[in-house]
Coordinates of all heavy atoms in Angstrom, one line a residue:
M1 N -26.2 -10.0 29.0 CA -25.8 -10.6 27.7 C -24.8 -11.7 28.0 O -24.0 -11.5 29.0 CB -25.2 -9.5 26.9 CG -24.5 -10.0 25.7 SD -23.8 -8.6 24.7 CE -22.5 -8.1 25.8
R2 N -24.8 -12.6 27.2 CA -23.8 -13.7 27.3 C -23.4 -14.1 25.9 O -24.2 -14.1 25.0 CB -24.2 -14.9 28.1 CG -25.4 -15.6 27.5 CD -25.9 -16.7 28.4 NE -27.2 -17.2 27.9 CZ -27.2 -18.3 27.0 NH1 -26.1 -18.9 26.7 NH2 -28.4 -18.7 26.6
I3 N -22.1 -14.5 25.7 CA -21.7 -15.1 24.5 C -22.0 -16.5 24.5 O -21.7 -17.2 25.4 CB -20.1 -14.8 24.3 CG1 -19.9 -13.4 24.2 CG2 -19.6 -15.6 23.1 CD1 -19.0 -12.8 23.2
V4 N -22.7 -17.0 23.5 CA -23.1 -18.4 23.4 C -22.2 -19.2 22.5 O -22.2 -20.4 22.5 CB -24.6 -18.6 23.1 CG1 -25.5 -18.0 24.2 CG2 -24.9 -17.9 21.8
E5 N -21.4 -18.5 21.7 CA -20.4 -19.1 20.9 C -19.2 -18.2 20.7 O -19.3 -17.0 20.4 CB -21.0 -19.4 19.4 CG -20.0 -19.9 18.5 CD -20.6 -20.1 17.1 OE1 -21.7 -20.6 17.0 OE2 -20.0 -19.6 16.1
M6 N -18.0 -18.7 21.1 CA -16.8 -17.9 21.0 C -15.7 -18.7 20.5 O -15.1 -19.6 21.2 CB -16.5 -17.4 22.4 CG -15.4 -16.4 22.5 SD -15.3 -15.6 24.1 CE -14.1 -14.4 23.9
P7 N -15.3 -18.5 19.2 CA -14.2 -19.2 18.6 C -12.9 -18.9 19.4 O -12.8 -17.9 20.0 CB -14.1 -18.7 17.2 CG -15.4 -18.0 16.9 CD -15.9 -17.6 18.3
A8 N -11.9 -19.7 19.2 CA -10.6 -19.5 19.8 C -10.1 -18.1 19.3 O -10.2 -17.8 18.2 CB -9.6 -20.6 19.4
A9 N -9.6 -17.4 20.3 CA -9.0 -16.0 19.9 C -7.8 -16.2 19.0 O -7.0 -17.1 19.2 CB -8.7 -15.3 21.2
A10 N -7.6 -15.3 18.1 CA -6.5 -15.3 17.2 C -5.7 -14.0 17.4 O -6.3 -12.9 17.7 CB -7.0 -15.4 15.7
T11 N -4.4 -14.1 17.3 CA -3.6 -12.9 17.4 C -3.5 -12.3 16.0 O -3.0 -13.0 15.0 CB -2.2 -13.2 17.8 OG1 -2.3 -13.9 19.1 CG2 -1.3 -12.0 18.0
T12 N -4.0 -11.1 15.8 CA -4.1 -10.5 14.5 C -3.3 -9.3 14.3 O -3.1 -8.9 13.1 CB -5.6 -10.2 14.2 OG1 -6.0 -9.2 15.1 CG2 -6.5 -11.4 14.3
G13 N -2.8 -8.7 15.3 CA -2.1 -7.4 15.2 C -3.0 -6.2 14.9 O -2.6 -5.1 14.7
I14 N -4.4 -6.4 14.9 CA -5.3 -5.3 14.8 C -5.3 -4.5 16.1 O -5.6 -5.1 17.2 CB -6.7 -5.7 14.4 CG1 -6.6 -6.4 13.0 CG2 -7.7 -4.6 14.4 CD1 -7.9 -7.0 12.5
S15 N -5.1 -3.2 16.1 CA -5.0 -2.5 17.3 C -6.3 -1.9 17.6 O -6.6 -1.4 18.8 CB -3.9 -1.4 17.2 OG -4.2 -0.5 16.2
Y16 N -7.3 -1.7 16.7 CA -8.5 -1.1 16.9 C -9.6 -2.1 16.6 O -9.8 -2.4 15.4 CB -8.7 0.2 16.1 CG -10.0 0.9 16.2 CD1 -10.4 1.5 17.4 CD2 -11.0 0.8 15.2 CE1 -11.6 2.1 17.6 CE2 -12.2 1.4 15.3 CZ -12.5 2.1 16.5 OH -13.8 2.7 16.7
L17 N -10.4 -2.5 17.5 CA -11.4 -3.5 17.3 C -12.7 -2.7 17.0 O -13.1 -1.8 17.8 CB -11.6 -4.4 18.6 CG -12.5 -5.6 18.4 CD1 -12.0 -6.6 17.4 CD2 -12.6 -6.3 19.8
S18 N -13.4 -3.1 16.0 CA -14.7 -2.5 15.7 C -15.6 -3.5 15.1 O -15.2 -4.6 14.7 CB -14.5 -1.3 14.7 OG -14.0 -1.8 13.5
V19 N -16.9 -3.2 15.1 CA -18.0 -4.1 14.6 C -18.0 -3.8 13.0 O -18.1 -2.6 12.6 CB -19.3 -3.8 15.2 CG1 -20.4 -4.6 14.5 CG2 -19.3 -4.1 16.7
V20 N -18.0 -4.8 12.3 CA -18.1 -4.7 10.8 C -19.5 -5.0 10.3 O -20.0 -4.3 9.5 CB -17.1 -5.7 10.2 CG1 -17.2 -5.7 8.6 CG2 -15.6 -5.4 10.5
S21 N -20.1 -5.9 11.0 CA -21.5 -6.3 10.6 C -22.2 -7.0 11.7 O -21.5 -7.5 12.6 CB -21.6 -7.1 9.3 OG -21.0 -8.4 9.5
A22 N -23.5 -7.1 11.7 CA -24.3 -7.8 12.7 C -25.6 -8.2 12.0 O -26.1 -7.5 11.1 CB -24.6 -6.9 13.9
R23 N -26.1 -9.3 12.5 CA -27.4 -9.8 11.9 C -28.1 -10.6 13.0 O -27.5 -11.2 13.9 CB -27.2 -10.7 10.7 CG -26.5 -11.9 10.9 CD -26.2 -12.7 9.5 NE -25.2 -13.7 9.7 CZ -25.5 -14.9 10.1 NH1 -26.7 -15.3 10.4 NH2 -24.5 -15.8 10.2
V24 N -29.4 -10.6 13.0 CA -30.2 -11.3 14.0 C -30.2 -12.8 13.6 O -30.4 -13.2 12.4 CB -31.7 -10.8 14.0 CG1 -32.6 -11.7 14.9 CG2 -31.8 -9.4 14.4
V25 N -29.9 -13.7 14.6 CA -29.8 -15.1 14.3 C -30.8 -15.9 15.1 O -31.1 -17.1 14.8 CB -28.4 -15.7 14.5 CG1 -27.5 -15.1 13.4 CG2 -27.9 -15.4 15.9
A26 N -31.4 -15.2 16.1 CA -32.4 -15.9 17.0 C -33.1 -14.7 17.8 O -32.5 -13.6 17.7 CB -31.8 -16.9 17.9
P27 N -34.2 -15.0 18.4 CA -34.7 -13.8 19.2 C -33.7 -13.2 20.2 O -33.0 -14.0 20.9 CB -35.9 -14.5 20.0 CG -36.3 -15.7 19.1 CD -34.9 -16.2 18.5
L28 N -33.6 -12.0 20.1 CA -32.7 -11.2 21.0 C -31.2 -11.6 20.9 O -30.4 -11.3 21.8 CB -33.2 -11.2 22.5 CG -34.6 -10.8 22.7 CD1 -35.0 -11.0 24.2 CD2 -34.9 -9.4 22.2
T29 N -30.8 -12.1 19.8 CA -29.5 -12.7 19.6 C -28.9 -12.2 18.3 O -29.6 -12.3 17.2 CB -29.5 -14.2 19.6 OG1 -30.1 -14.6 20.9 CG2 -28.1 -14.8 19.5
L30 N -27.7 -11.7 18.3 CA -27.0 -11.2 17.1 C -25.8 -12.0 16.8 O -25.1 -12.4 17.8 CB -26.6 -9.8 17.2 CG -27.7 -8.7 17.4 CD1 -27.0 -7.3 17.5 CD2 -28.7 -8.7 16.3
A31 N -25.5 -12.2 15.6 CA -24.1 -12.7 15.2 C -23.4 -11.4 14.8 O -23.8 -10.6 13.9 CB -24.2 -13.6 14.0
I32 N -22.3 -11.1 15.5 CA -21.6 -9.8 15.3 C -20.2 -10.2 14.8 O -19.5 -10.9 15.4 CB -21.4 -9.0 16.7 CG1 -22.8 -8.7 17.2 CG2 -20.7 -7.7 16.4 CD1 -22.8 -8.1 18.6
T33 N -19.8 -9.6 13.7 CA -18.5 -9.8 13.1 C -17.7 -8.6 13.4 O -18.1 -7.4 13.1 CB -18.6 -10.0 11.6 OG1 -19.4 -11.2 11.4 CG2 -17.2 -10.3 11.0
F34 N -16.5 -8.8 13.8 CA -15.5 -7.7 14.3 C -14.4 -7.6 13.2 O -14.3 -8.4 12.3 CB -15.0 -8.1 15.6 CG -16.0 -8.1 16.7 CD1 -16.7 -9.3 17.0 CD2 -16.3 -7.0 17.4 CE1 -17.7 -9.3 18.0 CE2 -17.3 -7.0 18.4 CZ -18.0 -8.2 18.7
S35 N -13.7 -6.5 13.4 CA -12.7 -6.1 12.4 C -11.5 -7.1 12.4 O -10.6 -7.1 11.5 CB -12.1 -4.7 12.7 OG -11.7 -4.6 14.0
D36 N -11.4 -8.0 13.4 CA -10.4 -9.1 13.4 C -10.9 -10.4 12.7 O -10.3 -11.4 12.8 CB -9.8 -9.3 14.8 CG -10.9 -10.0 15.7 OD1 -12.1 -10.0 15.3 OD2 -10.5 -10.4 16.8
N37 N -12.0 -10.2 12.0 CA -12.7 -11.3 11.3 C -13.3 -12.4 12.2 O -13.7 -13.5 11.8 CB -11.8 -12.0 10.3 CG -11.5 -11.0 9.2 OD1 -12.3 -10.3 8.7 ND2 -10.2 -11.0 8.8
E38 N -13.3 -12.1 13.5 CA -14.0 -13.0 14.5 C -15.5 -12.7 14.5 O -15.9 -11.5 14.4 CB -13.5 -12.9 15.9 CG -12.1 -13.4 16.0 CD -11.9 -14.9 16.1 OE1 -12.9 -15.6 16.4 OE2 -10.8 -15.4 15.8
T39 N -16.3 -13.7 14.6 CA -17.8 -13.5 14.8 C -18.2 -14.1 16.1 O -17.8 -15.2 16.5 CB -18.5 -14.2 13.6 OG1 -18.2 -13.6 12.4 CG2 -20.1 -14.1 13.8
R40 N -19.0 -13.3 16.8 CA -19.5 -13.8 18.1 C -21.0 -13.9 18.0 O -21.6 -13.0 17.4 CB -19.2 -12.8 19.2 CG -17.7 -12.5 19.4 CD -17.0 -13.7 20.0 NE -15.7 -13.3 20.5 CZ -14.6 -13.6 19.9 NH1 -14.6 -14.3 18.7 NH2 -13.4 -13.2 20.4
I41 N -21.6 -14.9 18.6 CA -23.1 -15.0 18.7 C -23.4 -14.4 20.1 O -22.9 -15.1 21.1 CB -23.5 -16.5 18.6 CG1 -23.1 -17.0 17.2 CG2 -25.1 -16.5 18.7 CD1 -23.5 -16.3 16.0
V42 N -24.1 -13.3 20.2 CA -24.3 -12.7 21.5 C -25.8 -12.6 21.7 O -26.6 -12.1 21.0 CB -23.7 -11.2 21.4 CG1 -23.9 -10.5 22.8 CG2 -22.3 -11.3 21.0
D43 N -26.2 -13.2 22.9 CA -27.6 -13.2 23.4 C -27.8 -12.0 24.3 O -27.2 -12.0 25.4 CB -27.8 -14.5 24.1 CG -29.2 -14.7 24.7 OD1 -30.0 -13.7 24.5 OD2 -29.5 -15.7 25.3
F44 N -28.6 -11.1 23.9 CA -28.9 -9.9 24.7 C -30.0 -10.1 25.6 O -30.3 -9.2 26.4 CB -29.2 -8.7 23.7 CG -27.9 -8.2 23.0 CD1 -27.5 -8.8 21.9 CD2 -27.2 -7.1 23.5 CE1 -26.4 -8.3 21.1 CE2 -26.1 -6.6 22.8 CZ -25.7 -7.3 21.6
G45 N -30.7 -11.2 25.5 CA -31.9 -11.5 26.3 C -31.7 -11.3 27.8 O -32.5 -10.6 28.5
P46 N -30.7 -11.9 28.4 CA -30.5 -11.8 29.8 C -30.3 -10.3 30.3 O -30.9 -9.9 31.3 CB -29.2 -12.6 30.2 CG -29.2 -13.6 29.1 CD -29.8 -12.9 27.9
F47 N -29.6 -9.5 29.6 CA -29.4 -8.1 29.9 C -30.7 -7.4 29.8 O -31.1 -6.6 30.7 CB -28.4 -7.5 28.9 CG -28.3 -6.0 29.0 CD1 -27.6 -5.4 30.1 CD2 -29.0 -5.2 28.2 CE1 -27.5 -4.0 30.2 CE2 -29.0 -3.8 28.3 CZ -28.2 -3.2 29.3
L48 N -31.4 -7.5 28.7 CA -32.7 -6.8 28.5 C -33.8 -7.2 29.5 O -34.5 -6.3 30.0 CB -33.3 -7.1 27.1 CG -32.4 -6.5 25.9 CD1 -32.9 -7.0 24.6 CD2 -32.3 -5.0 26.0
R49 N -33.8 -8.5 29.9 CA -34.8 -8.9 30.9 C -34.5 -8.4 32.2 O -35.4 -8.2 33.1 CB -34.9 -10.5 30.9 CG -35.7 -11.0 29.7 CD -36.0 -12.5 29.8 NE -34.8 -13.3 29.5 CZ -34.4 -13.6 28.2 NH1 -35.1 -13.1 27.2 NH2 -33.3 -14.3 28.0
A50 N -33.2 -8.2 32.6 CA -32.8 -7.7 33.9 C -32.9 -6.2 34.0 O -32.9 -5.7 35.1 CB -31.4 -8.1 34.2
A51 N -33.0 -5.5 32.8 CA -33.1 -4.0 32.9 C -34.3 -3.5 33.6 O -35.4 -4.1 33.4 CB -33.0 -3.5 31.4
G52 N -34.2 -2.5 34.4 CA -35.3 -2.0 35.1 C -36.0 -0.8 34.3 O -37.1 -0.5 34.5
H53 N -35.2 -0.2 33.4 CA -35.7 1.0 32.7 C -36.7 0.6 31.5 O -36.3 -0.2 30.7 CB -34.6 1.8 32.2 CG -35.0 3.2 31.8 ND1 -35.7 3.6 30.7 CD2 -34.8 4.4 32.5 CE1 -35.9 4.9 30.7 NE2 -35.4 5.4 31.7
P54 N -37.9 1.2 31.4 CA -38.8 0.8 30.4 C -38.3 1.0 29.0 O -38.7 0.3 28.1 CB -40.1 1.6 30.7 CG -39.6 2.6 31.6 CD -38.4 2.1 32.3
D55 N -37.4 2.1 28.8 CA -36.9 2.3 27.5 C -36.0 1.2 27.0 O -35.8 1.0 25.8 CB -36.2 3.7 27.4 CG -37.2 4.9 27.5 OD1 -38.4 4.7 27.4 OD2 -36.7 6.0 27.8
V56 N -35.3 0.6 28.0 CA -34.4 -0.5 27.6 C -35.2 -1.8 27.4 O -35.1 -2.5 26.5 CB -33.3 -0.7 28.7 CG1 -32.5 -2.0 28.4 CG2 -32.4 0.5 28.8
R57 N -36.2 -2.0 28.3 CA -37.0 -3.2 28.2 C -37.8 -3.2 27.0 O -38.3 -4.3 26.5 CB -37.9 -3.3 29.5 CG -37.1 -3.6 30.7 CD -38.0 -3.9 31.9 NE -38.9 -5.0 31.7 CZ -38.6 -6.3 31.8 NH1 -37.3 -6.7 32.1 NH2 -39.5 -7.2 31.7
A58 N -38.1 -2.1 26.4 CA -38.8 -2.0 25.1 C -38.1 -2.8 24.0 O -38.8 -3.3 23.1 CB -39.0 -0.6 24.6
Y59 N -36.8 -3.0 24.1 CA -36.1 -3.8 23.1 C -36.3 -5.3 23.3 O -35.7 -6.1 22.6 CB -34.6 -3.4 23.1 CG -34.5 -2.1 22.4 CD1 -34.5 -0.9 23.2 CD2 -34.5 -1.9 21.0 CE1 -34.4 0.4 22.6 CE2 -34.4 -0.7 20.4 CZ -34.4 0.4 21.2 OH -34.3 1.7 20.6
L60 N -37.1 -5.7 24.3 CA -37.4 -7.2 24.4 C -38.4 -7.5 23.2 O -38.5 -8.7 22.9 CB -38.1 -7.4 25.7 CG -37.2 -7.5 26.9 CD1 -38.0 -7.5 28.2 CD2 -36.4 -8.7 26.9
D61 N -39.0 -6.5 22.6 CA -39.8 -6.8 21.4 C -38.9 -7.1 20.2 O -38.0 -6.4 19.9 CB -40.6 -5.5 21.1 CG -41.4 -5.7 19.8 OD1 -42.4 -6.4 19.8 OD2 -41.0 -5.1 18.8
D62 N -39.1 -8.3 19.7 CA -38.2 -8.8 18.6 C -38.1 -7.8 17.4 O -37.0 -7.6 16.9 CB -38.7 -10.2 18.1 CG -38.4 -11.3 19.1 OD1 -37.5 -11.1 19.9 OD2 -39.2 -12.2 19.1
A63 N -39.2 -7.2 17.0 CA -39.2 -6.3 15.9 C -38.4 -5.1 16.2 O -37.6 -4.6 15.4 CB -40.7 -5.9 15.5
R64 N -38.6 -4.6 17.4 CA -37.8 -3.3 17.8 C -36.3 -3.7 18.0 O -35.4 -3.0 17.6 CB -38.3 -2.8 19.1 CG -37.7 -1.5 19.4 CD -38.5 -0.7 20.4 NE -37.9 0.7 20.6 CZ -38.3 1.5 21.5 NH1 -39.3 1.2 22.3 NH2 -37.7 2.7 21.6
F65 N -36.0 -4.9 18.6 CA -34.6 -5.3 18.7 C -33.9 -5.4 17.4 O -32.8 -5.1 17.3 CB -34.6 -6.7 19.4 CG -33.2 -7.2 19.6 CD1 -32.4 -6.8 20.6 CD2 -32.7 -8.2 18.7 CE1 -31.1 -7.3 20.7 CE2 -31.4 -8.7 18.8 CZ -30.6 -8.2 19.8
G66 N -34.7 -5.9 16.4 CA -34.1 -6.0 15.0 C -33.8 -4.7 14.3 O -33.2 -4.8 13.2
Q67 N -34.2 -3.6 14.9 CA -34.0 -2.3 14.2 C -32.7 -1.6 14.6 O -32.6 -0.4 14.8 CB -35.2 -1.4 14.4 CG -36.4 -1.9 13.8 CD -37.6 -1.0 14.1 OE1 -37.6 -0.2 15.0 NE2 -38.8 -1.3 13.5
F68 N -31.6 -2.4 14.7 CA -30.3 -1.9 15.1 C -29.6 -1.4 13.8 O -30.0 -1.8 12.7 CB -29.5 -2.9 15.8 CG -29.1 -4.1 15.0 CD1 -28.0 -4.1 14.2 CD2 -30.0 -5.2 14.9 CE1 -27.7 -5.2 13.4 CE2 -29.7 -6.3 14.1 CZ -28.6 -6.3 13.4
R69 N -28.5 -0.7 14.0 CA -27.7 -0.3 12.9 C -26.2 -0.4 13.4 O -25.9 -0.3 14.6 CB -27.9 1.1 12.4 CG -29.3 1.4 11.9 CD -29.5 2.8 11.5 NE -29.6 3.6 12.8 CZ -28.9 4.7 13.1 NH1 -28.2 5.3 12.2 NH2 -29.1 5.3 14.3
V70 N -25.3 -0.7 12.4 CA -23.9 -0.6 12.8 C -23.4 0.8 12.4 O -23.6 1.3 11.3 CB -23.0 -1.6 11.9 CG1 -21.6 -1.4 12.2 CG2 -23.5 -3.1 12.3
V71 N -23.0 1.6 13.4 CA -22.7 3.0 13.3 C -21.3 3.2 13.9 O -21.0 2.9 15.1 CB -23.7 3.9 14.1 CG1 -23.3 5.3 13.9 CG2 -25.1 3.7 13.5
D72 N -20.4 3.7 13.1 CA -19.1 4.1 13.6 C -18.4 2.9 14.3 O -17.8 3.0 15.3 CB -19.0 5.3 14.5 CG -19.5 6.5 13.7 OD1 -19.2 6.7 12.5 OD2 -20.1 7.4 14.4
G73 N -18.6 1.7 13.7 CA -17.9 0.5 14.3 C -18.5 -0.1 15.5 O -17.9 -0.9 16.3
N74 N -19.8 0.3 15.8 CA -20.5 -0.3 17.0 C -21.9 -0.6 16.6 O -22.5 -0.2 15.6 CB -20.5 0.7 18.1 CG -20.6 0.1 19.5 OD1 -21.2 -1.0 19.6 ND2 -20.0 0.7 20.5
V75 N -22.6 -1.4 17.4 CA -24.0 -1.7 17.2 C -24.8 -0.7 18.0 O -24.6 -0.5 19.2 CB -24.4 -3.2 17.7 CG1 -25.8 -3.5 17.4 CG2 -23.4 -4.2 17.0
N76 N -25.8 -0.1 17.3 CA -26.6 1.0 17.9 C -28.1 0.8 17.7 O -28.5 0.4 16.5 CB -26.1 2.3 17.3 CG -26.9 3.5 17.8 OD1 -27.4 3.5 18.9 ND2 -26.8 4.6 17.0
W77 N -28.9 1.0 18.7 CA -30.3 0.9 18.6 C -30.9 2.3 18.8 O -30.5 3.0 19.7 CB -30.9 -0.1 19.6 CG -30.7 -1.5 19.4 CD1 -31.6 -2.4 18.7 CD2 -29.6 -2.3 19.7 NE1 -31.1 -3.7 18.7 CE2 -29.8 -3.6 19.3 CE3 -28.4 -2.1 20.3 CZ2 -28.9 -4.7 19.4 CZ3 -27.5 -3.1 20.5 CH2 -27.8 -4.4 20.1
G78 N -31.9 2.6 18.0 CA -32.6 3.9 18.1 C -31.6 5.1 18.0 O -30.6 5.1 17.4
D79 N -31.9 6.1 18.8 CA -31.1 7.3 18.9 C -30.1 7.1 20.0 O -30.2 7.9 21.0 CB -31.9 8.6 19.0 CG -31.1 9.8 19.0 OD1 -30.0 9.8 18.4 OD2 -31.6 10.8 19.5
Y80 N -29.3 6.1 19.9 CA -28.4 5.7 21.0 C -29.1 5.3 22.3 O -28.6 5.4 23.4 CB -27.3 6.8 21.3 CG -26.4 7.0 20.1 CD1 -26.7 8.0 19.1 CD2 -25.3 6.3 19.9 CE1 -26.0 8.2 18.0 CE2 -24.5 6.4 18.8 CZ -24.8 7.4 17.8 OH -24.0 7.6 16.7
D81 N -30.3 4.7 22.1 CA -31.0 4.1 23.2 C -30.2 3.0 23.9 O -30.1 2.9 25.1 CB -32.4 3.5 22.8 CG -33.3 4.5 22.3 OD1 -33.1 5.8 22.5 OD2 -34.3 4.2 21.5
L82 N -29.6 2.1 23.0 CA -28.7 1.0 23.5 C -27.5 1.1 22.7 O -27.5 1.2 21.4 CB -29.4 -0.3 23.2 CG -30.6 -0.7 24.0 CD1 -31.0 -2.1 23.6 CD2 -30.2 -0.7 25.5
I83 N -26.4 1.1 23.3 CA -25.0 1.0 22.7 C -24.1 0.4 23.7 O -24.2 0.8 24.9 CB -24.6 2.3 22.1 CG1 -23.3 2.2 21.3 CG2 -24.4 3.4 23.2 CD1 -23.0 3.4 20.5
F84 N -23.2 -0.5 23.3 CA -22.3 -1.1 24.2 C -20.9 -1.0 23.8 O -20.6 -0.9 22.6 CB -22.6 -2.7 24.3 CG -24.0 -2.9 24.7 CD1 -25.0 -3.1 23.8 CD2 -24.4 -3.0 26.0 CE1 -26.3 -3.3 24.1 CE2 -25.7 -3.3 26.4 CZ -26.6 -3.4 25.5
P85 N -19.9 -0.9 24.7 CA -18.5 -0.8 24.3 C -18.1 -2.1 23.5 O -18.6 -3.2 23.8 CB -17.8 -0.8 25.6 CG -18.8 -0.2 26.6 CD -20.1 -0.7 26.1
V86 N -17.5 -1.8 22.4 CA -17.1 -3.0 21.5 C -16.4 -4.0 22.2 O -16.6 -5.2 22.0 CB -16.3 -2.4 20.3 CG1 -15.8 -3.6 19.4 CG2 -17.1 -1.5 19.4
A87 N -15.4 -3.7 23.1 CA -14.6 -4.7 23.9 C -15.6 -5.5 24.7 O -15.3 -6.7 24.9 CB -13.6 -3.9 24.7
D88 N -16.6 -4.9 25.3 CA -17.6 -5.6 26.1 C -18.4 -6.6 25.2 O -18.6 -7.7 25.6 CB -18.5 -4.7 26.9 CG -17.8 -3.9 27.9 OD1 -16.6 -4.2 28.2 OD2 -18.4 -3.0 28.5
L89 N -18.8 -6.2 24.0 CA -19.5 -7.1 23.1 C -18.6 -8.3 22.8 O -19.0 -9.4 22.7 CB -19.9 -6.3 21.9 CG -21.0 -5.3 22.0 CD1 -21.2 -4.6 20.7 CD2 -22.3 -5.9 22.5
Y90 N -17.4 -8.0 22.5 CA -16.4 -9.0 22.1 C -16.2 -10.0 23.2 O -16.1 -11.2 23.0 CB -15.1 -8.3 21.7 CG -14.2 -9.2 20.9 CD1 -14.2 -9.4 19.6 CD2 -13.1 -9.9 21.6 CE1 -13.3 -10.1 18.8 CE2 -12.2 -10.7 20.9 CZ -12.3 -10.8 19.5 OH -11.4 -11.6 18.8
A91 N -16.1 -9.5 24.5 CA -15.9 -10.3 25.6 C -17.2 -10.9 26.2 O -17.2 -11.9 27.0 CB -15.1 -9.6 26.7
G92 N -18.3 -10.2 26.0 CA -19.6 -10.7 26.6 C -19.7 -10.3 28.0 O -20.4 -11.1 28.8
S93 N -19.1 -9.2 28.5 CA -19.2 -8.8 29.9 C -19.7 -7.4 30.1 O -19.0 -6.5 30.5 CB -17.8 -9.0 30.5 OG -16.9 -8.1 29.8
I94 N -21.0 -7.2 29.8 CA -21.5 -5.8 30.0 C -22.2 -5.6 31.3 O -22.5 -4.5 31.6 CB -22.5 -5.5 28.9 CG1 -23.7 -6.4 28.9 CG2 -21.9 -5.5 27.5 CD1 -24.9 -6.0 28.0
F95 N -22.3 -6.6 32.2 CA -22.9 -6.4 33.5 C -21.9 -5.9 34.4 O -20.8 -6.3 34.5 CB -23.5 -7.8 34.0 CG -24.8 -8.0 33.4 CD1 -25.0 -9.1 32.4 CD2 -26.0 -7.3 33.8 CE1 -26.2 -9.3 31.9 CE2 -27.2 -7.6 33.2 CZ -27.3 -8.6 32.3

């Protein structure tokens, strides 16, 4: 995964970072809005293409990728098939 757009970081005083919303903006790419009001455009394609496990690679399918939910402040696919630490999503460093 890589962040393809990252606005300048702001000091907000928020001590707990969480995902507020997410939406598909391109194939395998989400716009994720966080509790500090920052939005990141995150491309999951590189991570999914590099994955060796077939259950992870199944999310290369655009329809399946789009079936995520925001659960407890995080982006979640399936029955926790895919879930990433919020700080890693924010920073774009899950590898």
Side-chain angles (χ1 to χ4, degrees):
M1 172 182 64
R2 63 187 172 90
I3 296 225
V4 293
E5 176 183 310
M6 186 169 186
T11 304
T12 63
I14 295 174
S15 61
Y16 177 73
L17 189 63
S18 63
V19 174
V20 175
S21 65
R23 63 187 169 83
V24 175
V25 293
L28 306 177
T29 304
L30 298 180
I32 303 173
T33 302
F34 296 88
S35 55
D36 67 351
N37 294 318
E38 292 285 339
T39 298
R40 305 287 195 256
I41 305 300
V42 182
D43 179 1
F44 289 82
F47 170 81
L48 294 171
R49 284 188 283 279
H53 198 285
D55 289 347
V56 173
R57 291 186 58 81
Y59 287 94
L60 285 166
D61 175 74
D62 289 330
R64 189 161 185 189
F65 178 80
Q67 295 176 348
F68 65 88
R69 295 174 293 132
V70 174
V71 178
D72 296 328
N74 207 331
V75 182
N76 178 22
W77 285 264
D79 187 20
Y80 296 92
D81 295 340
L82 291 179
I83 189 167
F84 302 92
V86 173
D88 291 352
L89 291 174
Y90 196 85
S93 60
I94 62 170
F95 281 106

